[in-house]
Amino acid sequence: MKKLFVDTNIVIDLLSRREPFFDEAAELFSLADRKQIEISVSSLTIANTSYALLRQMDSNKAKSVLRKLRLILTVLPLDDKVVGLALNDETFSDFEDGLQYFTAIEAEQELIITRNLKDFKSSKLPTMTARQFIETIE
């Protein structure tokens, strides 16, 4: 089973129903719900997603949404080693992208799924959009 690391933008696309990206995000998470793939996100993604959801709903509803999301994915730790790797890396100009990337590397993920491929142009892991990944398995 493929181990996919999913970037924050895909999670927010799903939970905020952002068009035109919602359908491909929903399809990706549906694959995880059916146990065809394993999805992981960083703990930073949960925090950033909570922040985005709180602009749309109250705190209790946002927590409920995130509890349901956790049923179909794994939350990976953002630890001292990952922070150190991101701080000392020159290839990621955006620190948050470096945190995401090194979280995926440390957790031995096979693929990064993001909407912003250019953010991961230095990645040693294959990087695809949700749509590109879905097309590879159809």
Side-chain angles (χ1 to χ4, degrees):
M1 187 177 323
K2 281 264 189 217
K3 294 170 61 176
L4 284 77
F5 181 85
V6 175
D7 196 13
T8 304
N9 50 38
I10 305 292
V11 176
I12 294 174
D13 289 346
L14 174 73
L15 299 181
S16 296
R17 303 184 70 83
R18 284 199 294 205
E19 293 298 342
F21 310 106
F22 170 74
D23 289 339
E24 59 201 45
E27 193 169 344
L28 185 72
F29 280 86
S30 178
L31 291 169
D33 191 38
R34 294 191 313 262
K35 309 282 190 239
Q36 294 177 292
I37 59 172
E38 291 178 16
I39 289 180
S40 295
V41 299
S42 74
S43 55
L44 179 62
T45 292
I46 299 301
N48 289 342
T49 301
S50 173
Y51 179 80
L53 291 176
L54 288 172
R55 289 193 253 151
Q56 301 171 356
M57 59 190 71
D58 68 39
S59 177
N60 288 334
K61 176 67 174 163
K63 284 181 180 179
S64 175
V65 168
L66 291 172
R67 278 193 297 272
K68 290 175 186 170
L69 180 69
R70 283 189 61 224
L71 297 173
I72 60 171
L73 57 72
T74 300
V75 179
L76 300 173
L78 178 60
D79 61 16
D80 187 61
K81 182 176 183 182
V82 168
V83 171
L85 289 166
L87 285 172
N88 290 304
D89 184 79
E90 300 294 322
T91 58
F92 286 90
S93 58
D94 184 304
F95 178 60
E96 190 266 343
D97 292 335
L99 290 171
Q100 298 286 41
Y101 173 71
F102 286 109
T103 299
I105 290 289
E106 288 301 302
E108 300 178 346
Q109 300 296 289
E110 296 175 57
L111 186 67
I112 295 174
I113 303 294
T114 184
R115 192 161 22 88
N116 300 321
L117 294 173
K118 66 180 178 8
D119 293 345
F120 294 92
K121 65 180 180 275
S122 301
S123 175
K124 292 183 173 94
L125 292 175
T127 305
M128 297 179 174
T129 65
R131 173 62 39 219
Q132 288 170 331
F133 176 75
I134 291 162
E135 288 172 358
T136 68
I137 60 171
E138 288 180 340

